[in-house]
Amino acid sequence: MSFVDVQNVLVVGAGTMGAGIAQVAARAGYATQLFDVAPGAAAKALDKIAESLQKAVDKGKSTPDERTQALARLTAATDLDAAAAHADLVVEAAPENLELKKELFARLSKLVKPETILATNTSSLPVTAIAAAAKGPERVIGLHFFNPVPIMKLLEIVHGERTSPLVLTAAKAIGARMGKEVVVVRDAPGFATSRLGIALALEAMRMLEEGVASAEEIDRAIELGYGHPMGPLKLTDQVGLDVRLAIAEHLRGELGERFNPPQVLRRMVRAGKLGKKSGEGFYKY
Ligand code: NAD
C-alpha cells in the first residue's frame, strides 16, 4: 500500500474552512473537488475562492496565470460517491460534531481506494475516535488548518493512536507542498493550539469578571506585551463565543475543572452575543 502519490484531493464540507483548504490544495497543484451536502454551497465556495485568488493577484502575491491554473484545477462535486472513488486524499471540513464526522468517515472509507488518506480538519475532537469508525483507521489523520487558510502558515498534524507512520510522512509532504509550516502532535484533547488558545481566553474572561481591566486593556496588554497579533477576547469574538464554549466544555470533560467555562461566557452565549457573526461579543461590530 502506498500513501505517497497524492494527485486528487476531495474536500468534504464547503464552508469557511473547506473553501480555504480547497483553495490552497488547488494552488499547490492538486486536482481538487469540493463537496457539500447543502445544495449550491460548493459552487458558492468556488466563487469565494475565485475572489480570494483575485485579491492575491491584486496584492502582487500571485500571478493572473497562477490564478487561472488554480481555478482550472477546482470543481464542485455533486456526487460524493463518485468524487470519493477518485480521491487520493480526502479532507473533511464538516461541522464540529463527533457523530456526524464518524458517520462521514464510515461512509467515505467504504467509497475510497485502499491507499486513500482520510483527513479531518477537526479543531478539538479525538481523531482516534473518528478513525475508529472508518474501515482502515491507519489511514486516518488530523490535518488542522487555521482560518483564513490561505494566509495562516500553520498546519497542525494530529496523529491518532492507529495512524500509520507512512500516512504521517505523506501528510508532512502534503503540508509542505501547500506552503504550510507543520507541527506534529499526538491525539491529546485540544491538540496543542486549541488547548493553549482556550486556556488563555478563559483566563482573560475570568480577569474581565474580576474587574482586573477592560476587554480592550486585556487584549492590548497581550498584543503589545507579548507580541500576539490579536488579544484572546478579540480572537474569541472572531472564532465565535458559542464555538469556544463548546470547546471549553469538551476540554473540561477530558482534562478537568481548569477548563470550566466562566459565567460571563455562558451568559453571553445565552444572550446570543456570539461575537463578530452576531454583531456583539466582547466588542460591538
Ligand atoms: P462551516 O459551518 O463554515 O462549514 C461546514 C460545512 O459543512 C457547511 O457548508 C455544511 O453545509 C457542510 N456539511 C454539513 N454536513 C455535511 C456532510 N454530512 N457532508 C458534507 N458537508 C457537510 O464550518 P467551518 O468553520 O468551516 O468548520 C469546519 C470544521 O473545521 C469543523 O470541524 C471546525 O471545528 C474546523 N475548524 C474551524 C476553524 C474556524 O476558524 N472556523 C478553524 C479550524 C478548524
Side-chain angles (χ1 to χ4, degrees):
M1 192 156 28
S2 155
F3 290 109
V4 290
D5 192 21
V6 170
Q7 290 174 15
N8 298 301
V9 174
L10 166 64
V11 180
V12 176
T16 308
M17 296 305 289
I21 296 165
Q23 179 173 332
V24 296
R27 277 288 279 117
Y30 296 112
T32 306
Q33 302 186 82
L34 188 51
F35 172 82
D36 200 289
V37 271
K44 215 168 111 192
L46 290 192
D47 290 342
K48 238 180 74 185
I49 295 171
E51 266 175 43
S52 166
L53 289 168
Q54 186 56 47
K55 271 190 201 149
V57 173
D58 295 344
K59 286 185 186 158
K61 290 188 175 158
S62 142
T63 66
D65 252 13
E66 285 167 341
R67 174 180 184 269
T68 310
Q69 283 166 18
L71 287 176
R73 290 187 203 106
L74 278 161
T75 37
T78 45
D79 177 354
L80 181 62
D81 293 24
H86 193 62
D88 306 310
L89 165 69
V90 179
V91 185
E92 167 274 319
E96 190 77 339
N97 174 313
L98 185 57
E99 284 317 307
L100 172 76
K101 289 192 196 281
K102 279 162 105 176
E103 270 170 39
L104 258 173
F105 274 69
R107 178 166 174 207
L108 285 165
S109 64
K110 289 185 199 126
L111 299 171
V112 296
K113 299 174 283 188
E115 67 275 19
T116 298
I117 296 172
L118 296 177
T120 173
N121 184 50
T122 179
S123 33
S124 65
L125 298 172
V127 172
T128 305
I130 296 169
K135 202 177 108 197
E138 67 283 352
R139 53 154 136 209
V140 177
I141 195 158
L143 292 184
H144 183 199
F145 290 88
F146 292 79
N147 187 19
V149 183
I151 290 168
M152 300 303 277
K153 281 306 269 182
L154 180 63
L155 174 62
E156 185 176 44
I157 297 184
V158 184
H159 66 91
E161 295 291 333
R162 295 170 72 181
T163 305
S164 153
L166 295 175
V167 170
L168 177 59
T169 303
K172 287 181 192 167
I174 291 162
R177 184 164 158 187
M178 290 181 178
K180 300 299 175 201
E181 302 280 344
V182 159
V183 166
V184 178
V185 299
R186 191 165 67 73
D187 185 21
F191 317 136
T193 48
S194 300
R195 182 162 160 183
L196 281 174
I198 289 286
L200 192 65
L202 297 183
E203 204 53 37
M205 290 172 209
R206 287 185 198 110
M207 286 163 63
L208 191 67
E209 277 179 335
E210 290 166 19
V212 173
S214 67
E216 289 85 350
E217 280 162 330
I218 291 169
D219 280 339
R220 269 170 64 77
I222 209 92
E223 287 163 12
L224 299 176
Y226 288 94
H228 288 213
M230 193 182 283
L233 298 171
K234 214 180 287 169
L235 184 59
T236 299
D237 275 2
Q238 298 277 340
V239 173
L241 275 70
D242 51 337
V243 174
R244 287 217 134 169
L245 176 59
I247 297 177
E249 280 174 337
H250 169 66
L251 290 180
R252 187 201 35 203
E254 296 285 333
L255 298 170
E257 290 304 305
R258 66 189 191 273
F259 285 97
N260 209 6
Q263 279 306 320
V264 64
L265 179 60
R266 292 187 187 286
R267 269 205 320 274
M268 287 173 76
V269 169
R270 221 175 287 135
K273 295 179 184 174
L274 305 181
K276 211 167 181 186
K277 62 186 170 191
S278 72
E280 187 176 347
F282 294 103
Y283 297 83
K284 287 207 165 95
Y285 299 89

